[in-house]
């Protein structure tokens, strides 16, 4: 029905022309005494029926041509004179123009893709170059005798390292399928490694960890899982008050899936912010009060988790902290994810 309405709307000029002709005919019939013996009503009905038959015929023909064209649009644009679609010279001219536009846009798109890939490669190379002096600086920190100064420098080094690491994984995110190896990983190994990496920051803020036994092993990618946990832990430390505690524990849900919980005693997340905390560059109410917030950590963690089949959920209340939960896929979900 929508197509029919659009068809008639585009042919209003035809309808207006036929109405104009009928008005002229009716005027001539009323003025010419020699036409008194011919029925004006019969003439009007004949013209209207003929015009309706013509419209129906054109509607059927043009809709069929449109469906044929849309069903083979790529092949039609590759060959304007394809034998599979009969077009009038006027339609062929339009199709040729469309082909030219598509060609220009595809050329621009390909150039943009090449430039984006070059930028991505340059950024990746820059990140790797930056990691070298960061490693050297970290080794130099061990030679600072002033313990207070060393702790502060270690904390600032860690924040810089996290930002560089975040940029590295953001650059790799587009090609994560090529850098994704799912295997059985012990949660305890990954969690403790990330906690040790945050040690300087935790000591400065007086934040401790209450970690359960974490005896479970899950099927996932160890490197990308470490990145997800790193982003959640850094947020927990960033927004938690001094001398507080972060709890990490696991459980198994009713479906048999392993859940990893990371609970902090931070400022919490407002109810209106919860649906948007995984949006790109969204800092929320708490983020606006902190110059350290970029709004990228949770966005990257969420997108990485989707790629490797992990589901992230969060429960939070203002002033009561937050609980981030990672749900790892079951064996059958893992098979669907990998196709093996």
């Amino acid at each position: 029905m929508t197509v029919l309405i659009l068809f008639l709307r585009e042919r209003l000029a035809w309808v207006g022309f036929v109405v104009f002709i009928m008005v002229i005919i009716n005027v001539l019939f009323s003025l010419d005494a020699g036409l008194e013996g011919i029925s004006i009503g019969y003439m009007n009905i004949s013209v209207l029926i003929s015009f309706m038959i013509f419209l129906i015929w054109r509607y059927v023909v043009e809709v069929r041509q449109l469906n044929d064209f849309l069903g083979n649009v790529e092949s039609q644009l590759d060959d304007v004179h394809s034998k599979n679609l009969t077009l009038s010279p006027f339609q062929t001219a339009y199709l040729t123009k469309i082909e030219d536009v598509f060609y220009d846009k595809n050329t621009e798109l390909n150039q943009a893709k090449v430039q984006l890939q070059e930028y991505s490669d340059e950024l990746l190379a820059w990140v790797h170059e930056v990691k070298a002096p960061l490693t050297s600086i970290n080794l130099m920190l061990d030679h600072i005798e002033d313990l207070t100064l060393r702790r502060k420098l270690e904390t600032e080094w860690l924040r810089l390292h996290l930002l560089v690491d975040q940029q590295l994984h953001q650059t790799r995110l587009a090609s994560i399928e090529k850098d994704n190896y799912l295997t059985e990983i012990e949660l305890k190994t990954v969690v403790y490694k990330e906690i040790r990496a945050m040690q300087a920051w935790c000591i400065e803020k007086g934040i401790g960890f209450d970690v359960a036994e974490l005896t479970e092993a899950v099927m996932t990618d160890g490197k990308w899982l470490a990145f997800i946990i790193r982003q959640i832990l850094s947020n927990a430390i960033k927004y938690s008050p001094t001398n507080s505690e972060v709890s990490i524990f696991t459980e198994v849900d009713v479906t048999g899936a392993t859940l990893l919980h990371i609970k902090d005693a931070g400022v919490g997340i407002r109810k209106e912010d919860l649906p948007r905390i995984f949006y790109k560059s969204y800092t929320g109410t708490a983020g606006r009060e902190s110059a350290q917030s970029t709004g990228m950590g949770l966005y990257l963690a969420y997108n990485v988790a989707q790629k490797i089949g992990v589901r992230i959920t969060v429960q939070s209340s203002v002033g009561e902290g937050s609980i981030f939960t990672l749900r790892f896929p079951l064996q059958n979900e893992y098979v669907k994810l990998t196709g093996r």
Side-chain angles (χ1 to χ4, degrees):
M1 181 61 69
T2 303
V3 176
L4 177 59
I5 294 173
L6 290 175
F7 175 81
L8 293 175
R9 187 176 295 172
E10 290 183 1
R11 271 72 183 177
L12 286 178
W14 293 7
V15 175
F17 178 72
V18 171
V19 170
F20 174 75
I21 294 298
M22 290 181 65
V23 170
I24 295 297
I25 291 175
N26 281 268
V27 171
L28 292 176
F29 268 67
S30 61
L31 296 178
D32 194 336
L35 300 175
E36 290 182 355
I38 302 176
S39 173
I40 297 178
Y42 176 78
M43 180 62 70
N44 289 335
I45 292 173
S46 299
V47 172
L48 286 175
I49 292 176
S50 300
F51 181 61
M52 290 180 64
I53 293 174
F54 172 77
L55 277 181
I56 293 172
W57 170 68
R58 288 308 305 168
Y59 174 77
V60 173
V61 170
E62 293 187 25
V63 168
R64 183 171 61 244
Q65 289 181 342
L66 180 63
N67 290 334
D68 290 341
F69 173 73
L70 293 177
N72 306 277
V73 62
E74 291 185 0
S75 61
Q76 300 304 335
L77 290 176
D78 290 338
D79 183 8
V80 175
H81 305 289
S82 174
K83 296 180 180 179
N84 297 327
L85 182 61
T86 303
L87 296 176
S88 67
F90 186 68
Q91 292 170 325
T92 302
Y94 261 103
L95 188 58
T96 304
K97 182 62 177 177
I98 293 174
E99 184 186 40
D100 293 339
V101 172
F102 266 77
Y103 178 79
D104 293 340
K105 295 303 178 183
N106 283 333
T107 302
E108 292 178 7
L109 181 61
N110 290 332
Q111 291 175 348
K113 286 181 178 179
V114 171
Q115 292 175 355
L116 181 61
Q117 185 60 49
E118 291 177 351
Y119 171 75
S120 179
D121 293 341
E122 291 172 0
L123 185 59
L124 197 59
W126 178 84
V127 170
H128 282 291
E129 289 293 328
V130 169
K131 290 179 70 175
L134 278 177
T135 303
S136 300
I137 292 172
N138 191 33
L139 295 174
M140 295 176 186
L141 292 176
D142 294 333
H143 299 287
I144 298 178
E145 296 181 359
D146 189 332
L147 184 60
T148 302
L149 176 61
R150 187 171 71 184
R151 291 298 185 193
K152 290 182 178 180
L153 290 175
E154 285 176 344
T155 301
E156 297 306 318
W157 176 90
L158 176 60
R159 290 173 180 168
L160 181 59
H161 170 74
L162 289 175
L163 288 174
V164 172
D165 179 73
Q166 191 179 92
Q167 182 60 65
L168 175 64
H169 286 80
Q170 182 180 355
T171 306
R172 289 176 172 174
L173 183 60
S175 57
I176 186 174
E177 290 81 3
K178 301 176 183 178
D179 186 27
N180 184 6
Y181 180 69
L182 301 182
T183 185
E184 192 171 71
I185 301 293
E186 290 186 1
L187 287 176
K188 178 171 63 176
T189 303
V190 178
V191 170
Y192 274 95
K193 181 180 178 181
E194 295 307 316
I195 290 176
R196 283 194 297 270
M198 304 279 184
Q199 184 178 6
W201 198 0
C202 294
I203 291 175
E204 182 191 25
K205 293 194 67 173
I207 293 176
F209 286 88
D210 179 16
V211 185
E213 293 184 3
L214 304 181
T215 57
E216 296 83 353
V218 296
M219 192 69 70
T220 188
D221 183 286
K223 182 179 69 176
W224 288 106
L225 173 62
F227 174 75
I228 295 171
I229 293 176
R230 195 177 310 140
Q231 301 310 307
I232 296 176
L233 285 180
S234 64
N235 265 24
I237 297 170
K238 185 186 303 179
Y239 295 113
S240 291
T242 56
N243 301 319
S244 60
E245 190 174 73
V246 176
S247 300
I248 303 176
F249 55 97
T250 59
E251 67 172 319
V252 178
D253 66 8
V254 292
T255 66
T258 300
L259 305 178
L260 174 65
H261 302 288
I262 301 176
K263 179 181 180 182
D264 63 63
V267 296
I269 305 170
R270 294 178 182 271
K271 185 177 180 180
E272 59 268 25
D273 289 337
L274 276 175
R276 297 183 286 175
I277 61 172
F278 297 116
Y279 288 1
K280 186 175 183 178
S281 301
Y282 184 76
T283 56
T285 305
R288 284 170 170 78
E289 299 172 359
S290 172
Q292 303 173 17
S293 181
T294 63
M296 293 299 296
L298 291 181
Y299 162 76
L300 292 173
Y302 184 79
N303 280 271
V304 168
Q306 284 188 315
K307 299 284 187 180
I308 63 175
V310 177
R311 190 174 68 197
I312 302 181
T313 55
V314 59
Q315 301 175 20
S316 184
S317 298
V318 176
E320 298 180 7
S322 306
I323 302 178
F324 283 83
T325 301
L326 306 183
R327 180 190 181 277
F328 296 92
L330 298 169
Q331 183 64 31
N332 58 338
E333 295 171 335
Y334 168 73
V335 171
K336 291 179 182 179
L337 185 66
T338 59
R340 293 181 282 142

